[in-house]
Amino acid sequence: MKKETAIINVGRDKKWTHGIVNPPIFRASTILFDTIDEMHFAAKNSTKGEMFYGRRGTSTHFAFQHAMTELEGGIGCALYPSGVAAISGALLSFLKAGDHLLMVDCVYEPTRILCDSLLKNYGIETTYYDPLITNDIESLIRKNTKVLFLESPGSITMEIQDIPTLAKIAHIHGLTVMLDNTWASPINSKPFEMGIDISIVAATKYIVGHSDVLMGIATANEDHWKTLCQNSYLLGYCTSPDDVYLAARGLRTLSVRLAQHEKNALQVANFLSLKKEVDHIRHPAFESCPGHAFFKRDFSGSNGLFSFVLKRGSKKAVNAFVENMSHFKIGFSWGGFESLILAVTNIDKIRTATQWDNSKPLIRLHIGLENVEDLIADLENAFGRYNQALINDNK
Ligand SMILES: *Cc1c(COP(=O)(O)O)cnc(C)c1O
């Protein structure tokens, strides 16, 4: 089945939908049984779609979990109240005191803070590695290294990793390999075919797609599903069926939304690449993006999220750029229908294995579903404000 068709069909088995097109919202804590045997059967089969207790999910959850597992290509997935919860849930499931974790340097900032605070306090040591590392990852693996964590492309700086090579070497040493696959979504990469054991997606972004629900998903392969599932249950992670309903609804239009985000973003990135003020574009589909060759090999497309680096600029000039836009709004997160802009000024502070030159300001864009000519005109005006501010700086 082609991916556009799969997205429409997955998770719509009649046993969950009762024949209704969208799986309905089943809200429950208590589930009622006629007999003790029935109750025991449900307890034993709660991961196979038997309703047992609300925390384990209802038909609403099972339908969506089934859909996501099929799309990602694992054998089961756990739902979490946010993307960050999926990351912490996966890491805590496979690490214990005395263990060592290899974490990519361009990781989402809250993941880094988790490693440097809570995991550190639990006696788990983290080493950050260069996102562009390939075979040399082997030199960083120790006797007590248990998990290799990837995020590709990286948050903000967008480096693309050599996922298959890193996974292969990690497996030789018995590591569990996790990937934050939020950027690709289930559409643009096949994490399990590249050797990933656990693929994590912040559904908050493109799956929900409307900036109104937080949700995380961790999908596992055969060897890792039981542990992941058990531990997510023990940690008490669960999601409301209303949120799952919205995520499942968002999922059905993912392929058309993503295609339009991608098309608009490529046009905007092309426009930016011709501006004399721009140093380079950090969009995985552009040769100027570190790891671009891995993108061409491993991904089937891009989306609306990318960054670009200016040749120079003061804080005032950058603020003049990002403030007073007509269509781009200042705000965290991404993946909704709307365009967003962010000036990121602390990159040197959230990189420890690699260097970042802070004298060249970085701006991250999420390109929404507006008309692309309106977006380009908005950016053209921003360059006007920025250049004026640079002139004023020198007065
Ligand atoms: C947003 C994001 C997350 C966290 O998702 P939340 O639902 O906001 O907790 C994790 N990883 C990446 C790459 C993200 O962009």
Side-chain angles (χ1 to χ4, degrees):
M1 221 190 294
K2 298 266 196 299
K3 65 190 174 189
E4 293 85 355
T5 312
I7 279 173
I8 301 305
N9 286 292
V10 286
R12 288 181 50 212
D13 193 306
K14 237 182 175 167
K15 73 177 173 232
W16 298 306
T17 64
H18 306 280
I20 295 165
V21 173
N22 274 332
I25 300 173
F26 285 90
R27 306 181 58 88
S29 54
T30 301
I31 313 285
L32 303 173
F33 304 98
D34 289 335
T35 64
I36 299 285
D37 277 354
E38 257 182 41
M39 189 177 83
H40 286 316
F41 179 80
K44 242 172 110 180
N45 293 287
S46 67
T47 61
K48 296 188 190 107
E50 288 297 324
M51 288 200 283
F52 158 65
Y53 181 60
R55 202 185 318 117
R56 276 259 157 129
T58 64
S59 306
T60 315
H61 301 83
F62 301 152
F64 183 62
Q65 283 170 297
H66 203 265
M68 284 305 304
T69 302
E70 286 228 347
L71 293 173
E72 284 276 273
I75 74 139
C77 78
L79 304 181
Y80 300 81
S82 69
V84 163
I87 293 164
S88 69
L91 287 170
L92 288 170
S93 294
F94 292 91
L95 291 166
K96 60 178 188 320
D99 285 349
H100 176 236
L101 162 68
L102 284 171
M103 177 58 69
V104 66
D105 203 35
C106 56
V107 75
Y108 183 61
E109 191 178 356
T111 308
R112 176 181 283 269
I113 300 170
L114 172 76
C115 296
D116 295 346
S117 54
L118 192 128
L119 294 189
K120 184 170 172 237
N121 295 341
Y122 283 171
I124 298 156
E125 193 188 344
T126 302
T127 299
Y128 293 93
Y129 65 88
D130 184 336
L132 299 175
I133 203 169
T134 58
N135 292 307
D136 288 344
I137 193 75
E138 191 149 36
S139 66
L140 300 176
I141 298 173
R142 306 178 191 167
K143 269 205 181 75
N144 61 339
T145 309
K146 292 289 159 58
V147 172
L148 172 69
F149 195 103
L150 299 85
E151 183 184 320
S152 179
S155 278
I156 314 288
T157 46
M158 308 300 289
E159 297 89 340
I160 303 108
Q161 298 191 251
D162 185 355
I163 300 173
T165 302
L166 295 174
K168 196 180 87 195
I169 294 169
H171 283 149
I172 294 171
H173 296 270
L175 276 56
T176 295
V177 184
M178 301 181 187
L179 168 69
D180 184 332
N181 197 36
T182 302
W183 189 86
S185 85
I187 284 198
N188 284 326
S189 81
K190 292 198 163 18
F192 293 96
E193 287 181 17
M194 292 192 280
I196 296 298
D197 298 311
I198 296 175
S199 171
I200 298 161
V201 173
T204 309
K205 309 293 163 60
Y206 280 125
I207 292 171
V208 165
H210 295 72
S211 306
D212 51 4
V213 172
L214 287 150
M215 190 183 298
I217 305 167
T219 310
N221 62 10
E222 183 92 48
D223 288 347
H224 295 80
W225 169 235
K226 208 171 155 207
T227 304
L228 182 78
C229 176
Q230 261 172 4
N231 287 332
S232 105
Y233 192 53
L234 289 177
L235 288 163
Y237 284 128
C238 58
T239 49
S240 95
D242 303 70
D243 287 351
V244 173
Y245 176 83
L246 286 172
R249 195 184 226 252
L251 177 67
R252 303 302 171 194
T253 56
L254 179 64
S255 59
V256 280
R257 283 186 288 111
L258 221 52
Q260 192 62 40
H261 282 293
E262 173 174 32
K263 191 171 158 219
N264 284 0
L266 286 170
Q267 269 179 266
V268 172
N270 274 324
F271 158 78
L272 290 169
S273 71
L274 300 173
K275 297 297 286 184
K276 65 178 189 321
E277 296 88 345
V278 171
D279 186 80
H280 68 284
I281 307 291
R282 292 223 166 194
H283 183 307
F286 278 62
E287 233 165 86
S288 53
C289 194
H292 168 69
F294 304 135
F295 171 78
K296 279 208 300 200
R297 186 190 64 193
D298 299 335
F299 289 72
S300 54
S302 58
N303 59 38
L305 188 78
F306 72 94
S307 300
F308 65 98
V309 177
L310 292 161
K311 284 184 181 144
R312 64 196 182 103
S314 62
K315 190 170 175 221
K316 263 192 194 154
V318 173
N319 287 359
F321 192 112
V322 301
E323 291 173 359
N324 300 307
M325 306 288 287
S326 303
H327 305 295
F328 287 90
K329 311 293 180 202
I330 301 174
F332 287 111
S333 204
W334 49 276
F337 49 80
E338 79 290 7
S339 288
L340 295 170
I341 188 164
L342 211 56
V344 189
T345 51
N346 68 336
I347 300 172
D348 58 329
K349 304 220 165 45
I350 52 172
R351 300 287 181 267
T352 48
T354 54
Q355 298 282 318
W356 182 264
D357 176 5
N358 252 0
S359 69
K360 292 180 178 174
L362 177 145
I363 293 177
R364 187 181 78 172
L365 299 177
H366 176 254
I367 306 300
L369 303 176
E370 301 89 346
N371 181 293
V372 72
E373 284 168 26
D374 289 338
L375 298 178
I376 288 174
D378 208 10
L379 288 164
E380 194 72 84
N381 290 334
F383 279 107
R385 292 193 299 274
Y386 163 84
N387 284 322
Q388 190 55 51
L390 284 178
I391 292 168
N392 292 344
D393 277 349
N394 291 331
K395 269 185 190 155

